Amino acid sequence: MKNEMQEFLNKLDKLTFVSTDGKTLHTSEGFEISYNLKMNHPFPNYPIQLLLRICSDGVYITSWGCTSNEDNLIATKWWMDKSNDMILKMHEASSNKEDLLKKMFNQLTK
């Protein structure tokens, strides 16, 4: 049986992720992927649902909700991996820019 959540995440993996602001992942294609948590109180074996929401230029495109605890784990791991990758990428870019600016400043103040 195919896991529909994994298939959806595989489609998202085709996008080029460039940054995050914590709760939203941004792509070079102009998409914003965010998440929400929904409490499913009537379902004691499935208490929380992770929802992924895709927008572009403030316009809602689609969303996908986990349908099991297993899906929640798959989607949460995917989100954490993407978010951590973007944080590291952004830190590296900032560090490289800082190094370049320090060199420029040191050259000017010799």
Side-chain angles (χ1 to χ4, degrees), residues 1-35:
M1 184 171 152
K2 291 184 179 179
N3 184 301
E4 292 179 10
M5 173 53 72
Q6 189 61 60
E7 288 180 4
F8 179 72
L9 296 175
N10 289 344
K11 289 179 183 180
L12 292 181
D13 279 337
K14 294 178 182 179
L15 301 172
T16 305
F17 292 89
V18 294
S19 67
T20 183
D21 58 13
K23 200 169 178 181
T24 303
L25 297 170
H26 302 274
T27 73
S28 64
E29 297 86 0
F31 297 105
E32 300 137 9
I33 296 96
S34 59
Y35 72 88

Side-chain angles (χ1 to χ4, degrees), residues 28-88:
S28 64
E29 297 86 0
F31 297 105
E32 300 137 9
I33 296 96
S34 59
Y35 72 88
N36 290 314
L37 294 176
K38 179 180 174 189
M39 300 298 213
N40 290 328
H41 293 293
F43 306 103
N45 294 330
Y46 178 42
I48 297 173
Q49 180 185 37
L50 179 71
L51 302 163
L52 296 177
R53 179 180 171 94
I54 291 86
C55 296
S56 183
D57 293 327
V59 177
Y60 167 81
I61 298 170
T62 191
S63 60
W64 193 273
C66 296
T67 57
S68 69
N69 288 326
E70 178 186 0
D71 282 356
N72 278 332
L73 290 173
I74 291 168
T76 300
K77 183 180 179 333
W78 180 89
W79 182 273
M80 291 173 67
D81 288 346
K82 288 293 180 205
S83 184
N84 288 338
D85 287 348
M86 292 306 97
I87 290 168
L88 289 173

